[in-house]
Amino acid sequence: MPATILSVSQAIAALRHSYPVTKPLEAIEFLRQTLNSAQLLNLYQHFFSTEFATSTSSIYSDTPDNHSPRELELFRLLDETELIPISPWQLEIAQEERLDQLLIESWGLDWLSYEDIDSLAPEWQILLSLSSEGLNWLTENEMKDWYEQEFEVSFSQILPPDSINHQQFQQFCSVAEFPVKGVPIVLSFLNYSTGNIWLDGCVQHEYQFGEWTVENLIFLSEQWQSAKELITQAQQVIDWLATDRHRHFQQILELWNKSTLSI
């Protein structure tokens, strides 16, 4: 069935926003940009049907390289409603060029991207010895002496992560008083092993990208809601450690050293 033009004004608007294509490569690029626009408008209508129906923003862009005002509305809504996070710098880029794919940024603890660990609070630093990534970093950067002096803990008191039955440690933590239950989560942040797509990336790893599809946004939204819960639980542990860092670390260390692998 042929498409129906609902009004003369809509037809004129469509003609005004059509672009001359004279070369095959131009045609391919134009089709790619058009597909991107259609995908985004479809997502807008699917996830924000009321806002889409009442929006007065144009669905047309000034050039195919740029997003239309309606598409930019979608990006803002995704972030404002926390369906998924869109960083301010991505929103800024979207003003100038098309976001063909969603950049999945890390919202976890991106401490390995720095040459030192000054970006970490002391409560995170003291737990480095219990994480594989943290212990490797302390060893490779010859920071073990600094760690022992800073936190008054000897490495002879701490079993290395590869000697630990991590499932048993998690069980010990699960029956301990709150917020010790969340200690394994904190260690998974340090190890980039939460299993959450929004938390396990870092600048040292390649960026991940997601296609603009309904199914993908549903998945990413579910992951983001889970990520926020994990961030909250990890922060509760860190806040608890901050109230009496040495004593509370010793409580964790006692459970840690009990969780030895069977010989």
Side-chain angles (χ1 to χ4, degrees):
M1 180 181 294
T4 302
I5 300 297
L6 298 180
S7 68
V8 173
S9 61
Q10 286 180 326
I12 293 173
L15 287 171
R16 283 176 177 170
H17 290 87
S18 61
Y19 307 96
V21 174
T22 59
K23 299 177 182 178
L25 289 179
E26 290 178 353
I28 292 172
E29 181 63 16
F30 176 75
L31 290 173
R32 184 186 63 79
Q33 294 162 340
T34 303
L35 175 61
N36 176 247
S37 179
Q39 288 173 326
L40 293 172
L41 293 175
N42 177 57
L43 292 175
Y44 192 157
Q45 193 167 26
H46 181 89
F47 290 101
F48 307 104
S49 56
T50 301
E51 291 86 346
F52 186 88
T54 57
S55 175
T56 58
S57 298
S58 174
I59 64 172
Y60 300 110
S61 58
D62 293 332
T63 71
D65 296 330
N66 295 337
H67 289 292
S68 69
R70 188 81 63 96
E71 292 163 33
L72 293 174
E73 276 186 0
L74 167 64
F75 298 141
R76 288 192 291 270
L77 280 169
L78 288 173
D79 189 56
E80 289 170 4
T81 62
E82 296 192 351
L83 189 72
I84 59 170
I86 307 250
S87 65
W89 75 271
Q90 279 200 82
L91 291 174
E92 186 175 339
I93 290 175
Q95 300 284 341
E96 304 294 333
E97 60 185 72
R98 283 198 168 275
L99 300 181
D100 294 324
Q101 293 180 307
L102 168 65
L103 174 59
I104 302 170
E105 295 182 85
S106 174
W107 294 80
L109 194 70
D110 195 8
W111 67 277
L112 275 178
S113 299
Y114 301 92
E115 294 181 358
D116 54 47
I117 53 173
D118 289 342
S119 63
L120 288 178
E123 290 68 40
W124 286 100
Q125 292 176 359
I126 198 172
L127 293 171
L128 287 172
S129 60
L130 307 186
S131 79
S132 300
E133 292 283 1
L135 183 57
N136 288 340
W137 190 93
L138 291 168
T139 302
E140 291 172 0
N141 290 277
E142 300 180 348
M143 295 288 285
K144 282 189 171 184
D145 289 343
W146 165 85
Y147 179 93
E148 291 181 331
Q149 293 172 7
E150 182 73 14
F151 300 112
E152 300 179 345
V153 179
S154 170
F155 273 95
S156 63
Q157 300 174 265
I158 307 171
L159 286 176
D162 59 6
S163 299
I164 294 298
N165 183 327
H166 294 279
Q167 184 175 0
Q168 188 177 54
F169 176 66
Q170 190 165 0
Q171 289 173 347
F172 284 150
C173 290
S174 69
V175 296
E177 293 183 0
F178 178 84
V180 177
K181 299 177 188 292
V183 171
I185 293 173
V186 173
L187 297 183
S188 72
F189 272 72
L190 288 168
N191 283 323
Y192 299 91
S193 61
T194 66
N196 190 288
I197 196 169
W198 294 104
L199 301 178
D200 290 344
C202 72
V203 175
Q204 289 191 343
H205 303 153
E206 291 186 1
Y207 283 120
Q208 298 186 72
F209 294 88
E211 300 292 335
W212 293 111
T213 65
V214 170
E215 295 77 15
N216 203 28
L217 253 65
I218 290 173
F219 166 74
L220 290 174
S221 179
E222 291 172 348
Q223 286 276 293
W224 177 238
Q225 307 319 309
S226 175
K228 290 192 291 184
E229 293 178 8
L230 292 173
I231 291 169
T232 297
Q233 292 176 53
Q235 190 58 51
Q236 288 169 339
V237 175
I238 296 304
D239 292 343
W240 169 73
L241 271 171
T243 61
D244 194 339
R245 188 191 314 139
H246 184 78
R247 183 169 68 87
H248 289 162
F249 179 71
Q250 290 299 321
Q251 288 180 237
I252 296 171
L253 190 57
E254 182 179 353
L255 298 179
W256 178 263
N257 287 337
K258 282 169 57 178
S259 308
T260 56
L261 289 169
S262 299
I263 299 175

